[in-house]
Amino acid sequence: MTDNRESSFRQRVGGRIAPSQPEAGTTEPPDDNEYRAWGSVPENKGERLDLRMRSPLPGVDEEGEELTLHYLLSISYTHSKAHGDRVTLCFADRMVTLAGRKLRDFRRDFAAGKADYVQEFNPARWPELREDRAVITKIEIIKPDAEARPAAQLVVSSG
């Protein structure tokens, strides 16, 4: 049994077996007509998280920021049917808060490496979603103030 595992490992490391692709349901939307709150792109190695936010600028559909996951320290969350869901990712140099509904599965998918991007819903770009679909209504990125004051400064916010 050990020989089979070692042989399989050597074949994969040697490049003779292609790595498995993410499940079809977790890949990037094929076009801009479909909204997904989060997902995975095949070329991502699970080392970065792409934050896709709607832009307040006229004529700009989307703004983004990619974060290195090596600096992720913790994840906190609240789930409420009355007030919606919030997930906060605490990085070494910033906090990212996702607000929306049906975000419980995001935590599971993120932990399993099936969430390389999160996407803020933009009603000008996509049709309104059914109540049973996950949606991120707001992404906030909070960085410490440049002058190292105890207060935080909101750097990027859309919504």
Side-chain angles (χ1 to χ4, degrees):
M1 188 69 134
T2 304
D3 291 336
N4 288 341
R5 287 184 190 166
E6 186 175 327
S7 174
S8 174
F9 174 76
R10 287 180 188 207
Q11 286 177 345
R12 282 180 281 142
V13 171
R16 286 177 269 195
I17 296 177
S20 62
Q21 295 296 318
E23 298 172 14
T26 62
T27 58
E28 189 170 11
D31 57 46
D32 285 343
N33 296 327
E34 182 180 359
Y35 172 78
R36 290 193 181 137
W38 64 86
S40 179
V41 290
E43 62 271 7
N44 194 331
K45 305 291 187 216
E47 297 174 354
R48 302 183 73 73
L49 179 64
D50 183 9
L51 306 174
R52 301 173 182 179
M53 299 161 283
R54 69 176 168 241
S55 175
L57 302 172
V60 178
D61 292 331
E62 180 178 273
E63 292 181 351
E65 185 168 337
E66 288 192 14
L67 303 176
T68 302
L69 294 179
H70 297 294
Y71 298 107
L72 179 64
L73 302 174
S74 67
I75 299 174
S76 60
Y77 57 89
T78 58
H79 298 293
S80 167
K81 289 182 181 177
H83 303 289
D85 297 342
R86 292 178 66 86
V87 176
T88 301
L89 308 170
C90 297
F91 290 85
D93 64 342
R94 71 196 71 206
M95 289 177 27
V96 176
T97 299
L98 311 174
R101 68 173 186 253
K102 306 273 185 201
L103 300 182
R104 287 180 190 265
D105 289 340
F106 166 74
R107 292 188 357 257
R108 182 199 66 216
D109 288 350
F110 185 69
K114 295 180 180 179
D116 300 324
Y117 69 86
V118 292
Q119 189 163 241
E120 190 174 51
F121 183 75
N122 184 347
R125 209 169 150 194
W126 296 292
E128 192 61 36
L129 296 175
R130 297 185 322 258
E131 287 294 318
D132 63 339
R133 297 277 313 270
V135 62
I136 295 173
T137 55
K138 188 171 189 175
I139 297 175
E140 286 183 319
I141 301 172
I142 301 170
K143 297 179 184 177
D145 191 347
E147 297 175 6
R149 294 190 311 241
Q153 175 185 5
L154 182 63
V155 174
V156 176
S157 176
S158 51

